[in-house]
Amino acid sequence: MTRISPGRLALGAFSCAILAILIAPILIIFLVSFTPTQMLEFPPSGFSLRWYEAYFGDAMWMAATRLSFLVAGLTAITSLVIGFAISIALVRYRFPGKTALRMLVMSPLILPKIIIAVGLYFLYVRLRILGTTGALVIAHTIIAVPYVVMIVTASLYGFDRRLEWAARSLGASPLRAIWLVTLPNLRPAILGGGLFAFVASFDDIILSLFLTRLTEPTLPRQIWVNVQQTIDPTIAAVSTFMTVISVLGLWLVALAQRRSRRSA
Amino acid sequence: MANPTDSSQPRVQGASLVLEALRKDFGQAPAVRSIDLDLKPGRFLTLLGASGSGKTTTLMMIAGFIEPTSGAIRINGRDVTTLPAHKRDIGMVFQNYALFPHLTVLDNVGFALKMRGVGRAETRERSAGFLRMVGLGDFLERYPHQLSGGQQQRVALARALVFSPSLVLMDEPLGALDRRLRLQMQEEIKRIQTDLGLTVVYVTHDQEEALTMSDDIAVMEDGRIASHSSPQETYEAPANRFTANFIGESNFLQGTVATQAGEETLVDIAGRTCRVAAEPAAGGGKVASVFVRPERLRLVTAEDRIANAMACRVVSQLYLGESIVYTVELADGQKLKIRRPNRGVGAAIRTDMPLWVGFEPQNARILLA
């Protein structure tokens, strides 16, 4: 039997406390979402799915949800395409301004989002694309690309370039070699990058506040509006739904990564 | 070397390969300075050199992965210098194999056929055929990581040959294998090459590999070809000191050229006039290095038993099992290495007796460089 030292015990207790603090809000929201009353009350006085009904039955909420999924999905795709191309350039080529490019691409991680939001707001007004879905996707892509680049470059450095050369010596054009050999072997990174991009878009509120119309909000913005105006437990149901979606996404990526690790 | 003429394997016509003043600079540093090469169809050429000598860079330029700074590459007379790699139809075997980890053995080998639009059934059949040829007929559905190093090597070989390329490039393909497997694969690669009539350019730093497999050996030094000749000539009559040093062990006896006497040159070494096979460039009075392989030097107990006998004494000896290497010192202090086959206890040299070292004139060369 292994003896547990007091130090280890203390560390364990500390870690558990941190975890509890991190998880508690999610757990509270989760429980609150099942309340049968009109109030955000904790602990809930009973069990009811009426706020889920209110969420899924409301056209405004559903429109916001659809928009968020659409924007996050498109953002994931565009930032993967752009981020992958940038990653290839950064990892494989030497060119003037490479460091500048790297810093420019990564800067949205450091810049306060509100600065990006204000800047884009004025730009979009001038371009007359403010409030369009495409414009929001572009905005979200700007903040999502750094995540993709960070994850994909890390795994590109570890990727054996000769695999791609082998494909080309066997008759695959450079693009086909990337498609048939590089991408399948970078699948964990692609999935991870895509998920991060999706989430970066899905839970963004600041850019949405500036760049969407009040009549066509994203899900986070709709929550925001709801909190300011009515505050009913619908938002608890919506939050729980969003959490479930995020956890599901993480779980799927982890599953795919484990599978490709096993075959690698 | 004679090729086996009869074979059941499908023969392809090997390609000719010409490199003209090929050069590659990486930034300011030249990796390959100037390579000229003319390789006849069906020949097995080895680029032999230390790391950094430019041999892999040269290979990658032939393959089309590295663009030459200047110069030209011709395959079968066609200029391919700027042709993209995937249009060159060159089979390539990489160091550490570079098998696709996400594809089965069969799909790895079938990749080239798929790229060429060959149908599923035929791709499968031809790939399986080549895998049987390399002895892997039972491993079609395995993934590369489920195979041993030697088996992965065979898959890489089958993959590079399945589309019947007329030119095959190999970049240190046996480097990761243990010695026994390496010898076995050397034979197998050589057999397949002669059976199929392939032109092969093979890169290695292993001199033994180069000697056993090649028709031609190009020894590379600092981005240039130091010598290009048959294995026998490379070993017996190296073109220069670098080649002599790089392949096998060498002795360089320092002396001065006395006179040219018909077929032979007389060289004064350690107070003794030695006869050496004639070299046209050797004029009288010049300082010369006389090159002799350790196994061509003989160590005897009587002066009149050998040509070019020079008195010597044994400084040290190294017991290697099948042979013994003696280090001897001449009267003027020069040291030589002599390799003597180990013929048993009775035939051993007694090192406390007066000894002479000598060599036949045709076993020595004068190297001025």
Side-chain angles (χ1 to χ4, degrees):
Chain A
M1 190 182 149
T2 50
R3 241 186 75 228
I4 299 164
S5 70
R8 276 188 81 87
L9 208 65
L11 181 65
F14 180 70
S15 305
C16 285
I18 296 282
L19 267 179
I21 291 168
L22 286 175
I23 291 174
I26 299 170
L27 205 64
I28 289 172
I29 286 290
F30 177 72
L31 292 175
V32 166
S33 73
F34 295 107
T35 183
T37 66
Q38 289 281 353
M39 303 293 287
L40 281 167
E41 56 164 10
F42 184 81
S45 53
F47 178 84
S48 152
L49 290 175
R50 64 178 284 201
W51 299 112
Y52 286 91
E53 231 179 283
Y55 170 40
F56 289 110
D58 185 286
M60 194 73 186
W61 277 115
M62 281 300 100
T65 306
R66 271 197 301 274
L67 180 64
S68 267
F69 269 104
L70 177 69
V71 170
L74 289 175
T75 299
I77 293 167
T78 51
S79 43
L80 273 179
V81 172
I82 295 170
F84 187 80
I86 292 174
S87 302
I88 292 265
L90 289 179
V91 172
R92 297 214 177 142
Y93 296 95
R94 280 195 280 181
F95 52 91
K98 181 169 163 173
T99 311
L101 174 68
R102 188 192 300 271
M103 279 161 64
L104 180 70
V105 167
M106 300 312 264
S107 61
L109 284 184
I110 314 159
L111 276 178
K113 260 193 194 175
I114 191 136
I115 291 176
I116 301 172
V118 172
L120 283 174
Y121 177 82
F122 286 113
L123 180 69
Y124 285 181
V125 167
R126 180 165 292 195
L127 295 175
R128 297 171 193 281
I129 55 171
L130 188 69
T132 61
T133 306
L136 186 61
V137 170
I138 293 171
H140 281 175
T141 301
I142 292 171
I143 59 164
V145 160
Y147 294 106
V148 175
V149 170
M150 210 156 47
I151 295 171
V152 173
T153 48
S155 70
L156 256 184
Y157 277 117
F159 176 76
D160 185 354
R161 183 100 199 260
R162 281 172 306 188
L163 288 182
E164 218 174 280
W165 285 4
R168 279 163 59 191
S169 81
L170 296 169
S173 66
L175 276 181
R176 218 167 166 201
I178 287 179
W179 183 254
L180 290 174
V181 173
T182 313
L183 283 180
N185 284 293
L186 293 183
R187 196 170 61 184
I190 302 287
L191 285 170
L195 179 78
F196 270 95
F198 186 94
V199 171
S201 162
F202 197 68
D203 75 6
D204 162 72
I205 173 76
I206 299 171
L207 290 170
S208 297
L209 277 179
F210 277 80
L211 305 175
T212 57
R213 295 195 193 97
L214 193 57
T215 49
E216 287 174 49
T218 60
L219 198 49
R221 182 167 188 181
Q222 179 64 18
I223 295 174
W224 173 259
V225 169
N226 186 286
V227 167
Q228 283 185 319
Q229 292 168 352
T230 48
I231 312 189
D232 67 34
T234 313
I235 55 166
V238 177
S239 304
T240 304
F241 175 73
M242 282 183 79
T243 308
V244 169
I245 291 296
S246 301
V247 171
L248 211 66
L250 271 177
W251 179 71
L252 282 174
V253 168
L255 200 74
Q257 284 177 341
R258 199 163 47 211
R259 258 191 35 204
S260 60
R261 235 199 315 279
R262 217 178 298 144
S263 72
Chain B
M1 200 183 284
N3 287 359
T5 46
D6 205 324
S7 168
S8 56
Q9 307 278 4
R11 276 183 78 92
V12 289
Q13 185 58 49
S16 67
L17 173 70
V18 174
L19 306 182
E20 285 173 7
L22 204 60
R23 182 186 177 90
K24 178 65 189 177
D25 298 326
F26 287 119
Q28 298 295 324
V32 171
R33 290 171 194 275
S34 182
I35 301 274
D36 286 283
L37 200 78
D38 190 345
L39 189 62
K40 302 268 175 293
R43 303 281 283 183
F44 191 116
L45 168 79
T46 296
L47 296 177
L48 179 67
S51 58
S53 61
K55 56 192 195 305
T56 295
T57 306
T58 304
L59 199 73
M60 292 306 165
M61 285 194 280
I62 301 171
F65 301 130
I66 295 178
E67 203 182 321
T69 305
S70 61
I73 302 166
R74 272 182 245 288
I75 298 174
N76 273 337
R78 180 183 172 208
D79 189 328
V80 299
T81 315
T82 56
L83 196 70
H86 64 282
K87 292 182 180 161
R88 292 194 187 189
D89 273 328
I90 293 175
M92 180 96 200
V93 179
F94 290 85
Q95 209 174 358
N96 300 327
Y97 329 126
L99 297 178
F100 306 132
H102 62 299
L103 298 180
T104 62
V105 165
L106 192 67
D107 289 341
N108 261 281
V109 176
F111 193 91
L113 299 176
K114 191 176 155 195
M115 290 306 106
R116 286 163 175 75
V118 177
R120 265 170 183 279
E122 196 191 337
T123 295
R124 201 192 149 82
E125 194 182 320
R126 274 168 69 181
S127 308
F130 270 84
L131 280 164
R132 275 195 297 276
M133 178 183 84
V134 296
L136 287 177
D138 297 331
F139 295 86
L140 305 185
E141 301 304 329
R142 300 274 186 99
Y143 282 89
H145 73 276
Q146 296 170 312
L147 303 180
S148 70
Q151 289 167 334
Q152 290 186 33
Q153 172 60 68
R154 286 157 204 266
V155 177
L157 203 58
R159 184 178 70 173
L161 297 176
V162 72
F163 58 103
S164 306
S166 47
L167 176 61
V168 178
L169 310 179
M170 302 191 187
D171 183 16
E172 308 224 12
L174 307 181
L177 302 181
D178 63 52
R179 190 179 151 75
R180 182 190 298 269
L181 207 53
R182 214 159 61 219
L183 295 176
Q184 193 186 331
M185 286 304 298
Q186 283 175 16
E187 271 181 44
E188 203 161 322
I189 290 173
K190 188 66 194 169
R191 173 179 64 78
I192 290 169
Q193 183 254 333
T194 43
D195 282 357
L196 301 185
L198 299 168
T199 306
V200 171
V201 180
Y202 190 99
V203 160
T204 185
H205 62 266
D206 183 330
Q207 45 162 305
E208 195 187 330
E209 211 164 278
L211 289 171
T212 53
M213 299 178 78
S214 320
D215 300 315
D216 291 354
I217 296 177
V219 178
M220 292 197 58
E221 178 198 11
D222 197 21
R224 287 194 190 86
I225 291 180
S227 79
H228 179 188
S229 50
S230 70
Q232 290 79 4
E233 208 181 321
T234 307
Y235 187 80
E236 309 280 344
N240 46 46
R241 197 171 173 138
F242 180 83
T243 306
N245 257 330
F246 198 83
I247 297 211
E249 286 183 280
S250 308
N251 290 301
F252 298 98
L253 289 151
Q254 300 302 316
T256 42
V257 177
T259 53
Q260 195 109 15
E263 295 287 287
E264 292 174 344
T265 303
L266 301 182
V267 184
D268 290 331
I269 304 169
R272 181 95 203 188
T273 302
C274 295
R275 296 181 292 125
V276 180
E279 297 292 327
K286 270 192 191 162
V287 174
S289 281
V290 174
F291 151 84
V292 195
R293 295 286 183 195
E295 74 275 13
R296 300 290 164 80
L297 282 173
R298 289 182 58 210
L299 193 59
V300 292
T301 48
E303 188 176 1
D304 54 358
R305 285 231 202 119
I306 42 168
N308 298 325
M310 294 170 281
C312 69
R313 66 180 185 87
V314 171
V315 179
S316 65
Q317 49 181 303
L318 195 61
Y319 179 79
L320 294 174
E322 88 278 13
S323 63
I324 300 172
V325 173
Y326 298 90
T327 304
V328 301
E329 196 178 67
L330 300 181
D332 66 348
Q334 291 196 56
K335 288 197 174 70
L336 302 179
K337 280 196 186 329
I338 304 165
R339 184 187 287 267
R340 257 183 132 242
N342 185 358
R343 296 240 165 78
V345 181
I349 280 275
R350 281 186 55 194
T351 55
D352 53 350
M353 284 166 45
L355 292 171
W356 282 266
V357 59
F359 56 89
E360 295 301 324
Q362 71 271 19
N363 284 335
R365 287 284 181 290
I366 294 178
L367 295 178
L368 292 172

